[in-house]
Amino acid sequence: MVPWTLKTFLGCGLGLLSLAGLIVNLLVVIPVFRLAFIQNKSPIYVISFINIVTDIVNVVMSTFYLAPSIIYETYFFTEDKTGTIPKLMGSTFMFCWYLGSMTQIVMAVNRLVVIYFRRSDLFTRKNICKLFALLIPLSFFLMYMAQYGTPCCFFVFDHVVLSYSYNQIEGLDNYPNMFIDLPLNTATSVIATFCYAMIVWTVRESTKGIAASMATQHMRRSRKNREVTYAMQFCFISMFYTFSWITFRVFPVAIGNRGLEWFICISAGVTINSSANALVYLISNQEVWRNLKSSGLNIFTRATNSSDVANNSADGHSIVRHSHNTTTNTTSKY
């Protein structure tokens, strides 16, 4: 019989959250795969497919290992976190995290190049596949160096802190954190923030002429709402990514051992981060919805006049292109 404590309830909550994230990712992964490799839509779907696959691995481990280990307060089949299973789970997580971090950079740079520089010839499907053919082995190499290449420490799933931790030997510096994790996490967030800031500025500047020519306040408000929604789609995933790794850094310092229950925010943040990409597509991408409907999965009723912002974001420059076509003094390149 499981004793019902606060930790038990938090573990159940994490399990339900992770299960919901798993369902959302599974609903989206097949439509995104079709759009990326069968229907040959925008190359952005190739990037998203890689991201969703890594997200699925993370939420599977959270649903079927981390949450149950928190509920039952055990590492399962091993006495402590230095055992094979916690370390294997940690290694798998780190591989997915490194690949996901690099995918965040690729996605942000892709959006910047397509929208700000208006170059759609650099990130072709062929070039993206070549890029990931390099990034996947690089992620595995970084994971191996972080988990097995240094004697100081390794990353594990740890039910004691309701999330994850480094198993570190006292007196030795955490080299994976110093030379791999922290630099990569910081670089990813900084690059994404810069790219999306430039995108927001570009979209805002491009829609000024449109807003000035609109006849009614209602149309101006509608255009503004579409602009905000468009920007949020790009920033949403990076915001949760940044939240996830910052909480992992801040909580041990700010809270320590005084309130370990708060560490559930770390694992919950990782789960939300692993669901954000799929959730954006499920909520607002009409091409994904059409693929779901063609498969007989019409979960929610969508209005026929729903916003086409997601479709615009699929090729990354439709709003900018539309603004150029509408403004009389500007000639579109597309």
Side-chain angles (χ1 to χ4, degrees):
M1 179 67 67
V2 178
W4 287 96
T5 62
L6 176 59
K7 186 175 180 180
T8 306
F9 283 107
L10 292 175
C12 290
L14 177 64
L16 292 174
L17 181 64
S18 301
L19 181 60
L22 177 60
I23 293 172
V24 170
N25 276 285
L26 291 178
L27 283 173
V28 170
V29 66
I30 294 178
V32 171
F33 175 82
R34 289 174 179 168
L35 291 166
F37 300 105
I38 298 177
Q39 300 178 15
N40 293 326
K41 296 290 185 178
S42 170
I44 192 65
Y45 287 115
V46 179
I47 304 174
S48 294
F49 176 75
I50 299 294
N51 202 21
I52 290 172
V53 169
T54 60
D55 289 340
I56 289 175
V57 175
N58 282 335
V59 292
V60 164
M61 291 190 296
S62 181
T63 302
F64 298 106
Y65 181 78
L66 181 58
S69 71
I70 293 173
I71 295 171
Y72 290 97
E73 299 191 53
T74 178
Y75 293 103
F76 289 114
F77 310 111
T78 184
E79 295 183 358
D80 55 39
K81 63 182 180 180
T82 61
T84 301
I85 293 179
K87 188 174 182 179
L88 178 62
M89 291 290 178
S91 299
T92 305
F93 178 88
M94 293 307 291
F95 168 76
C96 292
W97 183 265
Y98 292 149
L99 182 57
S101 299
M102 296 178 191
T103 303
Q104 294 282 345
I105 295 175
V106 173
M107 184 177 292
V109 174
N110 170 274
R111 301 294 81 195
L112 181 68
V113 169
V114 172
I115 296 173
Y116 183 79
F117 295 103
R118 288 182 282 168
R119 292 285 304 274
S120 58
D121 56 321
L122 297 179
F123 283 91
T124 62
R125 184 173 290 98
K126 183 178 180 181
N127 289 342
I128 290 175
C129 290
K130 289 180 179 179
L131 180 61
F132 278 104
L134 297 175
L135 294 182
I136 291 174
L138 177 59
S139 300
F140 184 85
F141 172 76
L142 291 177
M143 179 276 294
Y144 181 83
M145 293 302 299
Q147 293 290 91
Y148 306 98
T150 58
C152 69
C153 45
F154 51 85
F155 188 86
V156 294
F157 279 44
D158 191 354
H159 73 82
V160 174
V161 293
L162 291 82
S163 56
Y164 324 92
S165 67
Y166 289 105
N167 183 62
Q168 186 171 350
I169 298 176
E170 187 175 355
L172 295 180
D173 292 328
N174 190 338
Y175 295 112
N177 177 54
M178 294 168 56
F179 298 110
I180 300 177
D181 297 349
L182 187 58
L184 180 59
N185 294 340
T186 305
T188 300
S189 294
V190 170
I191 293 172
T193 300
F194 171 78
C195 291
Y196 294 139
M198 294 299 296
I199 289 169
V200 171
W201 179 83
T202 302
V203 174
R204 185 176 298 276
E205 291 296 310
S206 299
T207 54
K208 280 183 178 180
I210 299 176
S213 64
M214 287 180 177
T216 65
Q217 183 67 27
H218 173 74
M219 294 180 65
R220 286 195 292 270
R221 187 181 299 112
S222 176
R223 172 60 63 178
K224 181 179 179 180
N225 290 339
R226 290 181 62 184
E227 175 186 334
V228 172
T229 303
Y230 180 72
M232 286 178 61
Q233 283 185 315
F234 289 110
C235 298
F236 190 68
I237 303 169
S238 292
M239 288 170 56
F240 281 110
Y241 170 88
T242 302
F243 174 81
S244 299
W245 74 262
I246 286 181
T247 54
F248 183 79
R249 306 289 171 181
V250 171
F251 276 42
V253 176
I255 299 177
N257 296 324
R258 299 187 303 274
L260 292 179
E261 292 81 7
W262 288 100
F263 281 61
I264 196 69
C265 295
I266 300 174
S267 49
V270 170
T271 297
I272 295 173
N273 173 61
S274 298
S275 308
N277 194 24
L279 193 60
V280 166
Y281 277 114
L282 190 62
I283 290 175
S284 57
N285 190 288
Q286 291 182 341
E287 289 181 325
V288 168
W289 272 97
R290 282 195 290 268
N291 271 268
L292 285 172
K293 289 180 180 180
S294 67
S295 303
L297 294 174
N298 189 9
I299 305 172
F300 304 105
T301 301
R302 288 174 60 88
T304 56
N305 63 343
S306 58
S307 173
D308 61 349
V309 176
N311 273 339
N312 291 337
S313 67
D315 62 7
H317 56 263
S318 298
I319 288 182
V320 178
R321 180 180 64 230
H322 181 71
S323 68
H324 283 285
N325 290 338
T326 308
T327 307
T328 58
N329 295 330
T330 307
T331 303
S332 174
K333 292 179 62 179
Y334 300 95

